[in-house]
């Protein structure tokens, strides 16, 4: 196979991905998309490889979505000789990402102190469910338990009347982004000082901070001026609207937005409603006004509302149906889903890189590897260093 040409703002940076499931691997993939040389050290048993596959065992849809732009090296870290190879690889790295538990890392000689002695410039990103100095440090954590521990389940329960989890692995993905930007900040520090460092990314702490941006609300003040919970996003009417022919997120936010919306819906009587006639919207009126928006939305088609909302600067978005995402013009034109030929899995769809750099664009150079497919290549390179 021809050697991939590396481009992007992180070209020249080497990342060792010693993580499993989604959080760490997705963070490492983001760095790989931006040009980093990512080497995934893996042993059998990563649950992200389990489940549905088409051609090759271990090549699950989730694996394909979080492990591109990586080379896979299969090493059994419990074997002294193979662990020594892994340590040699880490010696060549700028960044290590891991979500292994501290006890296991210590037994392998791979805690930060061990590795920093060998590689003082190493940026060591360790992700875990809870802070290492807390009484929860040794508790197992998955996305759902972190949603609960961070207050997201409480928000859902208060808004919906049932303690559901959000139907997406939001904690894993938000923490992936946090790992990525934290690593970049540490690389800037290292470039200025020559010093590497350890970064601890506790999922629960990250999600508490994320959740409380808006939901701390009246408890920002001491004493509190009101309850927690952001009124707009927790209101009963905080949902997509039924238009004449589908669904759309039509979201009047200002009194002028409401007046323009009601006029377009053919309800001039509502444009004079006292609740929208003044310059500022009273949050207490949001629920009742939302019910009126629901009542009026079927007056126009989704496309017609798109024109009205664009004209009057009313926030609006059509509802993307995931089964038809690849047919959506916005998705297609932005290459957010592309069809590509995988070396072992045939024709697959891959999610595009959502950010654009004018001078150093990222690229998809490698699709997700089968386990250990690059072991010989990487270890041969290691011997030549």
């Amino acid at each position: 196979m021809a050697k991939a040409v590396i481009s992007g703002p992180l070209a020249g940076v080497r990342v060792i991905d010693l993580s499993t499931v989604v959080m760490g691997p997705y963070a490492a993939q983001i760095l790989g998309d931006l040009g980093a040389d990512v080497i995934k050290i893996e042993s059998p048993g990563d649950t992200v490889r389990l489940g549905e596959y088409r051609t090759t065992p271990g090549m699950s849809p989730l694996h394909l979505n979080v492990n591109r732009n990586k080379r896979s090296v299969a090493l059994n870290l419990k074997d002294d000789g193979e662990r020594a190879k892994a340590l040699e690889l880490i010696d060549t790295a700028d960044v290590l990402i891991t979500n292994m538990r501290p006890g296991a890392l210590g037994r392998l000689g791979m805690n930060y102190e061990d590795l920093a002695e060998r590689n003082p410039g190493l940026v060591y990103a360790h992700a875990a469910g809870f802070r290492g100095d807390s009484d929860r440090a040794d508790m197992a954590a998955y996305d759902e338990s972190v949603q609960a521990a961070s207050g997201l389940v409480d928000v859902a329960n208060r808004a919906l009347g049932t303690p559901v989890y959000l139907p997406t692995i939001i904690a894993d993905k938000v923490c992936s982004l946090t790992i990525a930007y934290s690593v970049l900040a540490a690389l800037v520090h290292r470039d200025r000082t020559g010093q590497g460092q350890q970064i601890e990314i506790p999922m629960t702490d990250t999600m508490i901070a994320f959740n409380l941006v808006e939901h701390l609300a009246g408890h920002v003040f001491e004493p509190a001026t009101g309850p927690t919970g952001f009124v707009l996003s927790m209101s009963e009417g905080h949902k997509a609207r039924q238009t004449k022919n589908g669904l759309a997120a039509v979201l009047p936010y200002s009194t002028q937005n409401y007046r323009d919306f009601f006029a377009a819906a053919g309800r001039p009587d509502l444009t004079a409603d006292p609740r929208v006639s003044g310059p500022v919207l009273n949050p207490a009126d949001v629920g009742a006004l939302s019910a009126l928006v629901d009542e009026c939305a079927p007056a126009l088609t989704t496309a017609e509302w798109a024109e009205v909302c664009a004209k009057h600067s009313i926030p609006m978005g059509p509802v993307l149906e995931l089964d038809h995402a690849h047919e959506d013009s916005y998705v297609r034109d932005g290459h957010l889903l592309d069809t590509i030929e995988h070396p072992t899995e045939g024709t697959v769809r891959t999610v595009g890189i959502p950010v654009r750099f004018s001078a150093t664009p990222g690229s998809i150079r490698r699709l997700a590897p089968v386990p250990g497919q690059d072991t010989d290549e990487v270890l041969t390179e290691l011997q030549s260093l």
Side-chain angles (χ1 to χ4, degrees):
M1 183 172 63
K3 192 169 184 179
V5 176
I6 297 178
S7 63
L10 294 183
V13 172
R14 171 167 284 188
V15 177
I16 302 297
D17 179 9
L18 190 61
S19 64
T20 56
V21 196
V22 171
M23 177 173 51
Y26 186 37
Q29 175 176 283
I30 291 169
L31 301 178
D33 287 352
L34 299 182
D37 174 24
V38 182
I39 298 172
K40 182 175 182 66
I41 297 177
E42 54 181 326
S43 299
D46 187 351
T47 57
V48 81
R49 285 193 178 274
L50 301 180
E52 173 190 356
Y53 66 90
R54 180 169 62 186
T55 303
T56 310
M59 300 300 285
S60 69
L62 193 51
H63 165 69
L64 291 169
N65 278 340
V66 297
N67 284 304
R68 72 176 178 219
N69 280 334
K70 300 179 186 181
R71 295 187 283 172
S72 172
V73 174
L75 293 172
N76 179 2
L77 298 182
K78 295 180 180 179
D79 177 90
D80 290 344
E82 296 193 19
R83 183 170 65 254
K85 291 294 184 185
L87 290 169
E88 288 181 51
L89 279 173
I90 295 170
D91 288 344
T92 72
D94 300 286
V95 178
L96 172 72
I97 297 174
T98 184
N99 61 348
M100 293 177 66
R101 294 194 185 185
L105 289 165
R107 290 190 295 273
L108 294 171
M110 291 184 176
N111 59 33
Y112 175 65
E113 291 73 21
D114 294 326
L115 298 182
E117 186 175 343
R118 302 170 59 110
N119 182 358
L122 182 67
V123 172
Y124 183 104
H126 182 247
F130 303 94
R131 287 191 312 279
D133 61 357
S134 73
D135 59 1
R136 303 180 187 178
D138 294 326
M139 291 176 62
Y142 281 79
D143 193 274
E144 293 85 354
S145 59
V146 173
Q147 287 194 39
S150 66
L152 281 175
V153 171
D154 178 57
V155 169
N157 193 30
R158 290 161 61 182
L160 304 174
T162 181
V164 296
Y165 306 117
L166 299 189
T168 179
I169 50 173
I170 190 170
D172 276 279
K173 292 185 288 186
V174 167
C175 292
S176 296
L177 300 176
T178 304
I179 293 169
Y181 75 66
S182 299
V183 163
L184 297 177
L187 286 173
V188 171
H189 170 78
R190 192 200 63 177
D191 286 349
R192 290 173 175 168
T193 67
Q195 298 175 338
Q197 62 182 298
Q198 182 177 16
I199 309 168
E200 183 184 30
I201 307 98
M203 293 178 73
T204 300
D205 301 51
T206 299
M207 291 307 297
I208 288 173
F210 177 85
N211 190 31
L212 293 183
V213 167
E214 77 277 34
H215 287 302
L216 191 56
H219 280 221
V220 165
F221 303 102
E222 180 59 40
T225 59
T228 55
F230 188 55
V231 173
L232 291 178
S233 61
M234 295 183 69
S235 66
E236 183 179 352
H238 193 243
K239 60 183 185 298
R241 321 287 183 181
Q242 182 68 54
T243 67
K244 182 182 287 187
N245 67 337
L247 292 171
V250 182
L251 298 164
Y253 263 79
S254 67
T255 54
Q256 185 63 55
N257 278 173
Y258 277 103
R259 291 195 294 270
D260 290 335
F261 173 86
F262 291 138
R267 293 292 303 273
D269 55 310
L270 294 177
T271 63
D273 189 302
R275 292 169 295 190
V276 301
S277 59
V280 179
L281 186 69
N282 184 343
D285 294 330
V286 168
L289 290 171
S290 182
L292 291 174
V293 173
D294 281 344
E295 180 184 324
C296 294
L300 300 178
T301 66
T302 298
E304 289 168 340
W305 276 123
E307 291 183 14
V308 168
C309 291
K311 178 180 178 181
H312 296 288
S313 295
I314 300 172
M316 183 271 183
V319 172
L320 178 67
E321 296 180 9
L322 296 186
D323 283 350
H324 301 285
H326 60 287
E327 301 167 352
D328 182 86
S329 61
Y330 186 85
V331 172
R332 185 180 60 247
D333 295 346
H335 298 285
L336 298 174
L337 271 179
D338 275 337
T339 300
I340 197 164
E341 290 301 311
H342 189 282
T344 64
E345 305 312 298
T347 304
V348 299
R349 288 196 177 97
T350 188
V351 182
I353 299 174
V355 294
R356 299 184 177 188
F357 291 76
S358 63
T360 55
S363 62
I364 299 173
R365 305 172 304 280
R366 297 173 177 267
L367 298 181
V370 298
Q373 77 172 37
D374 305 294
T375 302
D376 291 343
E377 174 187 284
V378 172
L379 295 184
T380 299
E381 287 178 4
L382 185 62
Q383 292 174 356
S384 66
L385 294 177

